[in-house]
Amino acid sequence: MKIINIKKINIKNKKILIRADLNVPINNEKIISPSRILSSLKTIKYALKKKAKVMVMSHLGRPKEGEYNKKYSLFPIFKYIKKRIKKTKVKFIKKYFEKIKIKSGELAILENVRFNIGESKNNNELSKKYAKICDIFVMDAFGTAHRKQSSTYGVSKFSKISCAGILLNSEIKFLKKALINPKKPMISIIGGSKISTKFTALKALAKISDYVIVGGGIANTFLAINNKIGKSIHEKKFIKEAKKLKKKFNIIIPIDSRIGTTFNKKTKSKIKKINKIKQNEEIMDFGDKTIKMIKPIIKKAKTILWNGPVGVFEFPNFCKGTKFIAKEIAKNKYFSIAGGGDTIAVIEMFNIKKKISYISTGGGAFLKFIEGKMPGIEILKIKKK
């Protein structure tokens, strides 16, 4: 069942409450990376153009509920948005459960929802308060749609009309393109340190992918099935599960690795075969033979899903594997989708943003969508019904 699209309903002169994901890094009240804000502006600008009375809410960081903390205030975000939406009256509201005075074509940025008691526990009374201040609720925060909280789930349950914003619709569209009847061959590249946080998604991707290339601590867990891997990061509890997965699906694991003896930027790298790693050594990146092995796989792919670096890309001596992955995906002329905080950092580092078909704003949500666990989206389907 499809969900209601904001573009399919009349929002003129209506009070609309947009749940955006404006959770951006801030230092000394200065925004470090505004990418999530910029992604959210499409829906906000559309609503203003249609002469709606627009209110935007979001979380920022993890403050203690019920306590105001300037460090987590959305005021710097309000100032940033105000500069970018010209000829529009933009106001910042702290006490938004009182009657909000707002005219058509005006914008109000509401204070951090996580200052409200009951937000994280999806409190019904708080959810009703959110629903009461609007005529239409717009869910546009893909990055938080996997959380069952008052501002992402509960408000939708009690609002008169609930719909999806432009960003959320875009995320769903492109992820479905990769996951439902993808063009073959399809490959998934999954990196990162913990297999436990990605195992369910990994299993789901293995079922639809022709190849799953694993890197980082996730690959190390697979390597530990038959090898001694020194002090390399891995999860012993998942070795048995990894063995089952590898036996059933086409999981591509490294055949050699760049290793180091200490975890710091100055550590020298040395390439070793997997079965030659010593007790004091740590796997920190793909080796050259592994890179050579996976190059034709990426080259032939017509659908690529990428989540996570395959090595310690922050260290100059251990970024070759991740750089290779990034550059090869950028060269691919077919469909590619990438998501996750570290993945976006890699994309920015190697300046390939324009070469990726779609970059998801979600981190944990990107994986949860693959698993099919997105309550913030599922509730919108129920509301339409």
Side-chain angles (χ1 to χ4, degrees), residues 177-195:
K177 186 176 178 179
L179 301 172
I180 300 171
N181 297 321
K183 285 188 177 180
K184 299 284 189 170
M186 176 185 174
I187 68 163
S188 296
I189 302 166
I190 307 297
S193 58
K194 291 185 177 182
I195 194 170

Side-chain angles (χ1 to χ4, degrees), residues 312-356:
V312 189
F313 72 98
E314 304 95 326
F315 296 175
N317 294 333
F318 300 97
C319 71
K320 189 172 181 178
T322 301
K323 184 179 181 180
F324 161 77
I325 292 284
K327 295 290 184 181
E328 285 300 307
I329 293 173
K331 286 179 191 175
N332 189 285
K333 294 178 182 179
Y334 295 96
F335 179 72
S336 57
I337 185 166
D342 285 341
T343 315
I344 292 169
V346 170
I347 288 167
E348 290 175 351
M349 179 185 282
F350 300 120
N351 196 28
I352 59 164
K353 191 175 182 179
K354 292 180 181 179
K355 301 290 180 72
I356 306 294

Side-chain angles (χ1 to χ4, degrees), residues 49-145:
K49 188 180 177 182
K50 292 294 180 179
K51 299 297 178 184
K53 301 169 184 178
V54 188
M55 298 170 285
V56 178
M57 63 176 175
S58 175
H59 76 285
L60 179 65
R62 295 183 179 180
K64 188 175 180 181
E65 285 188 4
E67 291 182 16
Y68 172 80
N69 187 330
K70 190 180 178 182
K71 180 184 174 182
Y72 299 109
S73 174
L74 261 68
F75 191 74
I77 294 167
F78 152 73
K79 288 196 292 183
Y80 183 91
I81 291 174
K82 192 176 181 180
K83 285 179 183 177
R84 275 148 188 82
I85 300 183
K86 297 173 181 177
K87 298 179 181 179
T88 300
K89 187 174 181 180
V90 186
K91 58 179 79 174
F92 183 69
I93 301 176
K94 284 186 177 182
K95 296 179 180 180
Y96 41 85
F97 293 131
E98 297 172 6
K99 193 171 183 180
I100 297 174
K101 292 180 181 179
I102 186 168
K103 295 177 181 178
S104 298
E106 291 183 352
L107 172 64
I109 307 297
L110 311 185
E111 185 57 284
N112 194 338
V113 293
R114 289 190 177 169
F115 288 161
N116 300 324
I117 295 173
E119 167 62 23
S120 61
K121 291 184 179 179
N122 189 35
N123 179 271
N124 275 344
E125 293 309 310
L126 179 61
S127 300
K128 287 175 184 177
K129 285 182 179 180
Y130 289 134
K132 196 175 180 180
I133 64 172
C134 67
D135 300 310
I136 300 165
F137 170 66
V138 182
M139 180 57 177
D140 205 37
F142 177 80
T144 61

